[in-house]
Amino acid sequence: MIKEIYMKTISLFSGAGGFDIASFMADIPVAFSIDIEEDCVETLKLNKDFKETNLICGNLADYTSDNIKKMSGIEDDESFIIIGGAPCQPFSKNGYWVTNNIRKGINDPRAKLVNEFLRVVTELSPDGFIFENVESLLHPTNKSIVDGFINIIEEEGYNYKVIKGNALNYGVAQKRKRLFIIGTKGSFISDEPEKTHGDPNNLLDSYLKPYVTAGEVISEFDTEELFEEEEVISGKYQDELKEVPPGMNYKALTEWAGHPNPKFVADKRFWNFLLKLHPEKPSWTITAQPGPWVGPFHWKSRRLRVPEIAALQSFPKNYRFYGSRRSIQKQIGNAVPPLMGKAMIQFLKESIEANFAGNQLVNQS
């Protein structure tokens, strides 16, 4: 008789819980979550999914891997995975980590938090892991970080997949490219996580559903009851924003677009300047710290409301956030879209389960 495998998750750099919610969606409960930002941890505490999760506000570097395992409550014979989206920014070197002889290649001063993720993975040896980051981590200037990461996990016995994904393909109403490095000590069930959505103009004979549009997920929040003071637009470019058609940016007001009285010069501004959503198209990437005239704005020429930006990231409708408007925008903008994360975790989970079942059959023969 084949026994089922039961897994739990340890979440590092949890933020507002986008990746954690993805784990719950994939039926893997999160046993432990840690983040250095107090507002993020308070957000997790507000949501019932985390009632059984040990939530820690602190610096991951201050916690030994053994302590993390103990606080998670995961027993030595239990299966578990580690997930996390470590920010890759210019940090100082983490000396104790880079001096270990198996950690060659991770000597880039920007890799401090990547090192912390690797430290916990290599010391706890989970059944699998998923590391999430921006796609630009694959840029040649970051080659030492990625090469070092792969070198370490291979030495630890992990097979891996590097997935360049777009949230659009997993049911998120948003163009958002992200990088995932997925590792397991067994084999993978396929080359990549299964996509569920595709370009509606190219779906002939396809099992994929059309991309989810912004209007589909946020139109219900356009009511007077959900008005937010922060959504009101005023100031230097308020009239210009109103003139931009849905789905366009400032370039609609240039000579390039045939505007009779050009207000701007094409390609002289950032592309998301006065950028406006179209209700029948997916959203552009939701940012963590947008400037006053940086979109995407609502097609009704206002800033997006909190439940709207959360929905565009595919957070559950009843998900609650703690903190100021600025803090909440940052939390949501930095999050892994839950539906995208679910696809990655489901892919890893099914691979681990297939390996577990295969090993049982071998042992029984």
Side-chain angles (χ1 to χ4, degrees):
M1 179 178 179
I2 301 296
K3 295 181 180 179
E4 291 186 1
I5 185 172
Y6 179 72
M7 277 177 274
K8 294 180 181 177
T9 293
I10 290 176
S11 172
L12 311 177
F13 312 105
S14 303
F19 220 170
D20 297 50
I21 289 296
S23 187
F24 286 118
M25 287 177 170
D27 294 323
I28 307 180
V30 180
F32 175 89
S33 293
I34 184 169
D35 197 89
I36 199 169
E37 296 289 342
E38 184 176 350
D39 281 5
C40 290
V41 178
E42 291 300 318
T43 286
L44 302 184
K45 291 179 180 178
L46 286 175
N47 292 281
K48 61 182 180 180
D49 293 287
F50 297 93
K51 62 182 179 181
E52 303 295 333
T53 306
N54 192 353
L55 304 173
I56 301 297
C57 182
N59 188 338
L60 180 59
D62 295 335
Y63 294 84
T64 67
S65 299
D66 286 342
N67 198 11
I68 290 171
K69 180 76 174 293
K70 182 177 180 180
M71 288 189 291
S72 74
I74 296 173
E75 302 293 339
D76 289 341
D77 60 347
E78 286 188 291
S79 296
F80 70 99
I81 63 173
I82 293 177
I83 62 174
C88 185
Q89 300 168 352
F91 292 103
S92 60
K93 289 184 180 179
N94 194 343
Y96 77 87
W97 176 247
V98 298
T99 56
N100 189 303
N101 61 6
I102 72 163
R103 292 146 186 170
K104 56 191 175 184
I106 297 289
N107 57 3
D108 191 306
R110 296 167 296 168
K112 181 178 178 181
L113 297 186
V114 181
N115 292 340
E116 289 298 329
F117 182 90
L118 283 168
R119 169 179 69 87
V120 180
V121 168
T122 58
E123 293 175 355
L124 293 187
S125 193
D127 294 82
F129 67 84
I130 306 180
F131 175 81
E132 179 269 347
N133 216 285
V134 293
E135 195 178 42
S136 59
L137 191 64
L138 294 178
H139 189 275
T141 57
N142 298 319
K143 190 174 187 299
S144 65
I145 298 174
V146 177
D147 288 350
F149 188 108
I150 291 172
N151 181 33
I152 291 168
I153 61 174
E154 285 186 321
E155 289 193 15
E156 292 296 309
Y158 287 98
N159 295 315
Y160 69 93
K161 295 283 187 183
V162 177
I163 306 296
K164 293 189 291 184
N166 192 324
L168 282 174
N169 292 125
Y170 305 101
V172 183
Q174 180 188 169
K175 300 175 183 178
R176 190 181 189 91
K177 294 182 179 180
R178 283 299 183 268
L179 170 73
F180 296 87
I181 303 178
I182 306 177
T184 174
K185 290 190 173 180
S187 56
F188 289 94
I189 57 172
S190 60
D191 289 335
E192 63 179 4
E194 184 178 2
K195 295 176 181 176
T196 57
H197 293 70
D199 185 345
N201 297 316
N202 189 31
L203 291 182
L204 188 64
D205 298 326
S206 172
Y207 65 90
L208 298 176
K209 299 177 182 178
Y211 292 145
V212 180
T213 67
E216 287 179 71
V217 298
I218 72 171
S219 291
E220 65 178 289
F221 303 110
D222 189 25
T223 64
E224 293 183 4
E225 291 78 14
L226 294 177
F227 169 81
E228 297 177 4
E229 291 183 4
E230 295 86 352
E231 74 185 57
V232 178
I233 297 294
S234 62
K236 187 174 182 180
Y237 298 113
Q238 59 178 331
D239 293 334
E240 285 79 1
L241 179 64
K242 292 176 182 177
E243 195 176 346
V244 172
M248 293 289 290
N249 62 1
Y250 79 97
K251 289 179 70 173
L253 310 183
T254 66
E255 183 179 3
W256 169 87
H259 194 278
N261 182 27
K263 309 291 181 65
F264 306 104
V265 177
D267 301 322
K268 293 294 185 179
R269 300 266 184 169
F270 286 113
W271 70 275
N272 52 5
F273 177 61
L274 303 185
L275 181 66
K276 192 177 288 186
L277 293 179
H278 192 295
E280 297 177 4
K281 297 179 180 180
S283 170
W284 286 275
T285 301
I286 298 298
T287 59
Q289 295 175 302
W293 300 104
V294 171
F297 294 93
H298 195 278
W299 52 85
K300 289 189 175 180
S301 302
R302 60 169 175 80
R303 292 187 182 91
L304 295 170
R305 299 167 179 176
V306 166
E308 291 171 335
I309 57 177
L312 290 171
Q313 279 280 60
S314 75
F315 274 95
K317 189 184 301 185
N318 60 350
Y319 203 77
R320 299 171 64 191
F321 298 90
Y322 176 89
S324 65
R325 167 62 187 239
R326 180 184 295 271
S327 172
I328 292 173
Q329 174 83 40
K330 182 179 178 181
Q331 291 177 55
I332 299 175
N334 282 332
V336 176
L339 286 180
M340 187 183 201
K342 177 190 175 184
M344 303 300 153
I345 294 174
Q346 192 73 38
F347 176 64
L348 175 60
K349 176 187 177 183
E350 292 176 1
S351 297
I352 293 172
E353 289 174 336
N355 291 315
F356 181 75
N359 290 336
Q360 285 191 75
L361 289 172
V362 170
N363 292 333
Q364 292 174 11
S365 62

